[in-house]
Amino acid sequence: MNEAAKDYFNFVGIGGISGAGKDLFFTLCKEYLKELKISSTRIGLGDEVKSEAAKTIKQMYGFSPKDCSRKQKNLIRSHLVFLGAIKRQQSKGRYWIEKAEHAIEKLHQNFLPQILINPFIFITDVRYDEYEKDEIHWVTNELEGTLVHIKKFKPSPKINEKLMPTGLFSREWSTPPNKAEKENDPRVQRNAHKTIEWQDYENTPLLRAKKHLVPAVKSFIDEELEKISIKKDL
C-alpha cells in the first residue's frame, strides 16, 4: 500500500470472536465521531471472503452472505472459514490483507481532505496471528493502528451453599464458534492495545443497549484523539 494512503488515515483494528459486537462497536464509534465532525468508515477483511463466496453460497443456500441473519451466518460459517483459510494458506496470511489495502487506496483517492483530523478507518474483523506478517502485524506494525479486542459476557447470578442468590454476579463469557477462532482469539487479545468488555444486550432494545455501551466507546475515541493530538505536537 502506498505511504500517502497509509499516512492519511487513522486506523483502528477490531478483534473478538463472532458475535462479540465488533460491528456494533464500529457503528457507535462512527456515531460519536460524526458528532465531533470527524469522518470514519469501515473495511472488513471478511467482506472480500463473502464477495468471492457469494455466487456459490447463493446457489447452495439461496441467500447472500452479504445480507443475511445471524442464524444464516452460522449456517454458512464453515464454508466462509474454509475459503478464507485456503487463500490465507496460499499467501501466508496476506491475500485478504492485500484486498483490504486496495480498498484503502481507493478510499484515499475518494476522500476529501479533512481540515482538522484525518478520517478513521476501522478494520472490523482482525482475527488471525498465524503467520509472520499476519493481520495483527499488519494493523499494529504496518498501518501503525490501534488494536481493540471486544469481549461479551452475560451476568450469571452467584448462589450460596443453600442454593440462594447472593445478589452477586459472575461473568459468563461468549465462546468461540470454531477451532480457528478458539486458537487465534487469545493471540488477538494478548496483542490488543485496548480490551473492551461489555454485557450482552441481545434481547434489549437498541436505544437502551446503547446507553450502556456508549460510555466505553466515547472513552476509547477520546483516548485515540488525545494520542493523535500528542503525536501531531511532537
Side-chain angles (χ1 to χ4, degrees), residues 134-147:
D134 215 327
E135 294 172 5
I136 291 175
H137 180 276
W138 177 57
V139 170
T140 59
N141 292 78
E142 297 175 42
L143 299 181
E144 298 180 4
T146 299
L147 180 59

